[in-house]
Coordinates of all heavy atoms in Angstrom, one line a residue:
Y1 N 8.3 -29.5 -3.2 CA 7.5 -29.2 -2.0 C 7.9 -28.0 -1.2 O 7.1 -27.1 -0.8 CB 7.5 -30.5 -1.0 CG 6.8 -30.2 0.3 CD1 5.4 -30.1 0.4 CD2 7.5 -29.9 1.4 CE1 4.9 -30.0 1.6 CE2 6.8 -29.6 2.7 CZ 5.4 -29.7 2.7 OH 4.8 -29.5 3.9
E2 N 9.2 -27.8 -1.0 CA 9.7 -26.7 -0.3 C 9.4 -25.3 -1.0 O 9.1 -24.3 -0.4 CB 11.2 -26.8 0.1 CG 11.5 -27.9 1.1 CD 13.0 -28.1 1.3 OE1 13.8 -27.5 0.5 OE2 13.3 -28.8 2.2
R3 N 9.5 -25.4 -2.3 CA 9.3 -24.3 -3.2 C 7.7 -23.9 -3.1 O 7.4 -22.8 -3.0 CB 9.8 -24.5 -4.5 CG 11.2 -24.4 -4.8 CD 11.6 -24.1 -6.3 NE 11.0 -25.2 -7.1 CZ 11.8 -26.4 -7.4 NH1 12.9 -26.5 -6.9 NH2 11.2 -27.3 -8.2
F4 N 7.0 -24.9 -3.3 CA 5.5 -24.8 -3.2 C 5.1 -24.1 -1.7 O 4.3 -23.4 -1.8 CB 4.8 -26.1 -3.4 CG 3.4 -25.9 -3.7 CD1 3.0 -25.7 -5.0 CD2 2.5 -26.2 -2.7 CE1 1.5 -25.5 -5.3 CE2 1.1 -26.0 -2.9 CZ 0.6 -25.7 -4.2
H5 N 5.8 -24.7 -0.7 CA 5.4 -24.2 0.6 C 5.9 -22.7 0.8 O 5.0 -21.9 1.4 CB 6.1 -25.0 1.6 CG 5.6 -24.8 3.0 ND1 4.5 -25.5 3.4 CD2 6.0 -24.3 4.0 CE1 4.3 -25.1 4.6 NE2 5.2 -24.4 5.1
V6 N 6.9 -22.3 0.2 CA 7.4 -20.9 0.5 C 6.5 -20.1 -0.4 O 6.3 -18.8 -0.1 CB 9.0 -20.8 0.1 CG1 9.5 -19.3 0.0 CG2 9.8 -21.6 1.1
L7 N 6.2 -20.5 -1.7 CA 5.5 -19.7 -2.7 C 4.1 -19.2 -2.1 O 3.5 -18.4 -2.6 CB 5.4 -20.3 -4.0 CG 6.6 -20.3 -4.8 CD1 6.4 -21.1 -6.1 CD2 7.0 -18.9 -5.2
G8 N 3.7 -20.2 -1.1 CA 2.3 -19.8 -0.5 C 2.3 -18.5 0.2 O 1.2 -18.0 0.4
T9 N 3.5 -18.0 0.5 CA 3.5 -16.6 1.3 C 3.2 -15.5 0.1 O 2.9 -14.4 0.6 CB 4.9 -16.4 1.8 OG1 5.9 -16.4 0.7 CG2 5.1 -17.4 2.9
L10 N 3.1 -15.9 -1.1 CA 2.9 -14.8 -2.2 C 1.4 -14.4 -2.1 O 1.0 -13.3 -2.8 CB 3.3 -15.2 -3.5 CG 4.8 -15.5 -3.7 CD1 5.1 -16.0 -5.1 CD2 5.6 -14.2 -3.5
W11 N 0.6 -15.2 -1.5 CA -0.8 -14.7 -1.3 C -1.0 -13.5 -0.5 O -2.0 -12.8 -0.6 CB -1.6 -15.9 -0.6 CG -1.9 -17.1 -1.4 CD1 -1.1 -18.2 -1.5 CD2 -2.9 -17.3 -2.4 NE1 -1.5 -19.3 -2.3 CE2 -2.8 -18.7 -2.9 CE3 -4.0 -16.6 -2.8 CZ2 -3.6 -19.2 -3.9 CZ3 -4.8 -17.2 -3.9 CH2 -4.6 -18.5 -4.3
H12 N 0.0 -13.1 0.2 CA 0.0 -12.0 1.0 C 0.4 -10.7 0.3 O 0.1 -9.5 0.6 CB 0.9 -12.0 2.2 CG 0.6 -13.0 3.2 ND1 1.0 -14.4 3.1 CD2 -0.2 -13.1 4.3 CE1 0.5 -15.2 4.0 NE2 -0.3 -14.4 4.7
V13 N 1.0 -10.8 -0.9 CA 1.5 -9.7 -1.6 C 0.4 -8.7 -2.1 O 0.6 -7.5 -2.0 CB 2.5 -10.2 -2.8 CG1 2.9 -9.0 -3.6 CG2 3.7 -10.9 -2.3
P14 N -0.6 -9.1 -2.9 CA -1.7 -8.3 -3.3 C -2.3 -7.4 -2.2 O -2.5 -6.2 -2.5 CB -2.6 -9.2 -4.0 CG -1.9 -10.4 -4.4 CD -0.9 -10.6 -3.3
P15 N -2.7 -8.0 -1.1 CA -3.3 -7.0 -0.2 C -2.3 -6.0 0.4 O -2.6 -4.9 0.7 CB -3.8 -8.0 1.0 CG -3.2 -9.2 0.8 CD -2.9 -9.4 -0.7
L16 N -1.0 -6.5 0.5 CA 0.0 -5.5 1.0 C 0.2 -4.4 0.1 O 0.2 -3.3 0.5 CB 1.3 -6.3 1.2 CG 2.5 -5.5 1.6 CD1 2.2 -4.8 2.9 CD2 3.8 -6.4 1.7
V17 N 0.2 -4.7 -1.3 CA 0.4 -3.7 -2.3 C -0.8 -2.7 -2.3 O -0.6 -1.4 -2.3 CB 0.5 -4.3 -3.7 CG1 0.5 -3.2 -4.7 CG2 1.8 -5.1 -3.7
L18 N -2.0 -3.2 -2.2 CA -3.2 -2.2 -2.2 C -3.2 -1.5 -1.0 O -3.7 -0.3 -1.0 CB -4.6 -3.3 -2.3 CG -4.8 -3.8 -3.7 CD1 -6.0 -4.8 -3.6 CD2 -5.1 -2.7 -4.7
S19 N -2.8 -2.1 0.1 CA -3.0 -1.3 1.5 C -1.8 -0.1 1.4 O -2.1 1.1 1.8 CB -2.6 -2.1 2.7 OG -3.6 -3.1 2.9
L20 N -0.6 -0.5 0.9 CA 0.5 0.5 0.7 C -0.1 1.7 -0.2 O 0.1 2.9 0.0 CB 1.6 -0.1 0.2 CG 2.9 0.7 0.3 CD1 3.3 1.2 1.6 CD2 4.1 -0.2 -0.4
A21 N -0.6 1.3 -1.4 CA -1.1 2.3 -2.3 C -2.1 3.2 -1.6 O -2.1 4.4 -1.9 CB -1.7 1.6 -3.6
S22 N -3.1 2.6 -0.8 CA -4.1 3.5 -0.2 C -3.4 4.5 0.7 O -3.9 5.5 0.8 CB -5.1 2.5 0.6 OG -5.7 1.6 -0.4
Y23 N -2.5 3.9 1.5 CA -1.8 4.7 2.4 C -1.1 6.0 1.8 O -1.1 7.1 2.2 CB -0.7 3.9 3.3 CG 0.2 4.8 4.2 CD1 -0.5 5.4 5.4 CD2 1.5 4.9 4.0 CE1 0.4 6.1 6.2 CE2 2.3 5.6 4.8 CZ 1.6 6.2 6.0 OH 2.4 6.9 6.8
I24 N -0.3 5.6 0.7 CA 0.4 6.6 -0.1 C -0.6 7.7 -0.7 O -0.3 8.8 -0.5 CB 1.2 6.1 -1.1 CG1 2.2 5.1 -0.6 CG2 1.7 7.2 -2.1 CD1 3.0 4.5 -1.5
L25 N -1.7 7.2 -1.3 CA -2.7 8.2 -1.8 C -3.3 9.1 -0.7 O -3.5 10.3 -0.9 CB -3.8 7.4 -2.5 CG -3.5 6.7 -3.9 CD1 -4.6 5.9 -4.4 CD2 -3.0 7.8 -4.9
L26 N -3.6 8.5 0.6 CA -4.0 9.3 1.6 C -3.0 10.5 2.1 O -3.4 11.6 2.3 CB -4.6 8.4 2.7 CG -5.9 7.8 2.6 CD1 -6.0 6.8 3.7 CD2 -7.0 8.9 2.7
I27 N -1.8 9.9 2.1 CA -0.8 10.9 2.5 C -0.7 12.1 1.5 O -0.6 13.3 1.9 CB 0.7 10.2 2.5 CG1 0.7 9.3 3.9 CG2 1.8 11.1 2.6 CD1 0.8 9.9 5.1
L28 N -0.7 11.7 0.1 CA -0.6 12.8 -0.9 C -1.8 13.7 -0.9 O -1.7 15.0 -1.0 CB -0.5 12.0 -2.2 CG 0.8 11.2 -2.5 CD1 0.8 10.6 -3.8 CD2 1.9 12.2 -2.4
S29 N -3.0 13.0 -0.6 CA -4.2 13.8 -0.6 C -4.3 14.7 0.7 O -4.7 15.9 0.5 CB -5.4 12.9 -0.5 OG -6.6 13.7 -0.4
L30 N -3.7 14.3 1.8 CA -3.6 15.2 3.0 C -2.6 16.3 2.8 O -3.0 17.4 3.2 CB -3.2 14.3 4.1 CG -3.0 15.1 5.5 CD1 -4.3 15.7 5.9 CD2 -2.4 14.1 6.5
G31 N -1.5 16.0 2.1 CA -0.6 17.0 1.9 C -1.2 18.1 0.9 O -1.0 19.3 1.2
R32 N -1.8 17.8 -0.2 CA -2.5 18.7 -1.0 C -3.6 19.6 -0.4 O -3.7 20.6 -0.5 CB -3.1 18.0 -2.1 CG -2.1 17.4 -3.2 CD -2.7 16.7 -4.4 NE -3.7 17.6 -5.1 CZ -4.6 17.3 -6.0 NH1 -4.6 16.1 -6.4 NH2 -5.3 18.3 -6.6
H33 N -4.3 18.9 0.5 CA -5.5 19.5 1.2 C -4.9 20.4 2.3 O -5.3 21.7 2.4 CB -6.3 18.4 2.1 CG -7.4 19.0 2.9 ND1 -8.6 19.5 2.2 CD2 -7.5 19.2 4.1 CE1 -9.3 20.1 3.1 NE2 -8.8 19.8 4.3
T34 N -3.8 20.0 3.0 CA -3.1 20.9 4.0 C -2.6 22.2 3.3 O -2.8 23.3 3.8 CB -2.2 20.2 4.7 OG1 -2.7 19.1 5.4 CG2 -1.5 21.2 5.9
Q35 N -2.0 22.1 2.2 CA -1.4 23.1 1.3 C -2.5 24.2 0.9 O -2.4 25.2 1.0 CB -0.6 22.7 0.2 CG 0.1 23.7 -0.5 CD 0.9 23.1 -1.7 OE1 0.9 21.9 -2.1 NE2 1.7 23.8 -2.4
Q36 N -3.6 23.6 0.5 CA -4.6 24.4 0.0 C -5.2 25.3 1.2 O -5.6 26.4 1.0 CB -5.9 23.6 -0.7 CG -5.5 23.0 -2.0 CD -6.6 22.1 -2.6 OE1 -7.5 21.9 -1.9 NE2 -6.3 21.5 -3.7
M37 N -5.4 24.6 2.3 CA -5.8 25.4 3.6 C -4.9 26.3 4.0 O -5.4 27.5 4.3 CB -6.1 24.3 4.7 CG -7.1 23.2 4.4 SD -8.8 23.9 4.2 CE -9.1 24.3 5.9
Q38 N -3.6 26.1 3.8 CA -2.7 27.2 4.2 C -2.7 28.4 3.2 O -2.6 29.6 3.6 CB -1.2 26.5 4.2 CG -1.0 25.6 5.5 CD 0.4 25.0 5.4 OE1 1.0 25.0 4.5 NE2 0.6 24.3 6.5
Q39 N -3.0 28.1 1.9 CA -3.0 29.2 1.0 C -4.2 30.0 1.1 O -4.3 31.2 0.9 CB -3.1 28.4 -0.5 CG -1.6 27.8 -0.8 CD -1.7 27.3 -2.3 OE1 -2.7 27.1 -2.8 NE2 -0.6 26.8 -2.7
N40 N -5.4 29.4 1.6 CA -6.6 30.1 1.8 C -6.6 30.8 3.2 O -7.6 31.6 3.5 CB -7.7 29.1 1.7 CG -8.0 28.6 0.3 OD1 -7.5 29.2 -0.7 ND2 -8.4 27.4 0.1

């Protein structure tokens, strides 16, 4: 029962991973965009 109760927190992992991936992609995209603007 205790293991089952604790494993219930794993439902939070997929949205956390997707949000983190979205944040990282936006950071990388912003860095590339800022670099292009500086070059131009």
Side-chain angles (χ1 to χ4, degrees):
Y1 169 76
E2 290 176 353
R3 285 197 302 269
F4 193 84
H5 195 79
V6 172
L7 287 175
T9 59
L10 295 180
W11 288 95
H12 296 87
V13 174
L16 176 61
V17 172
L18 284 174
S19 298
L20 187 61
S22 301
Y23 175 68
I24 292 173
L25 288 175
L26 279 170
I27 288 288
L28 294 175
S29 178
L30 176 61
R32 289 181 56 186
H33 179 75
T34 304
Q35 187 177 5
Q36 290 176 359
M37 297 295 290
Q38 290 176 349
Q39 290 176 354
N40 295 333

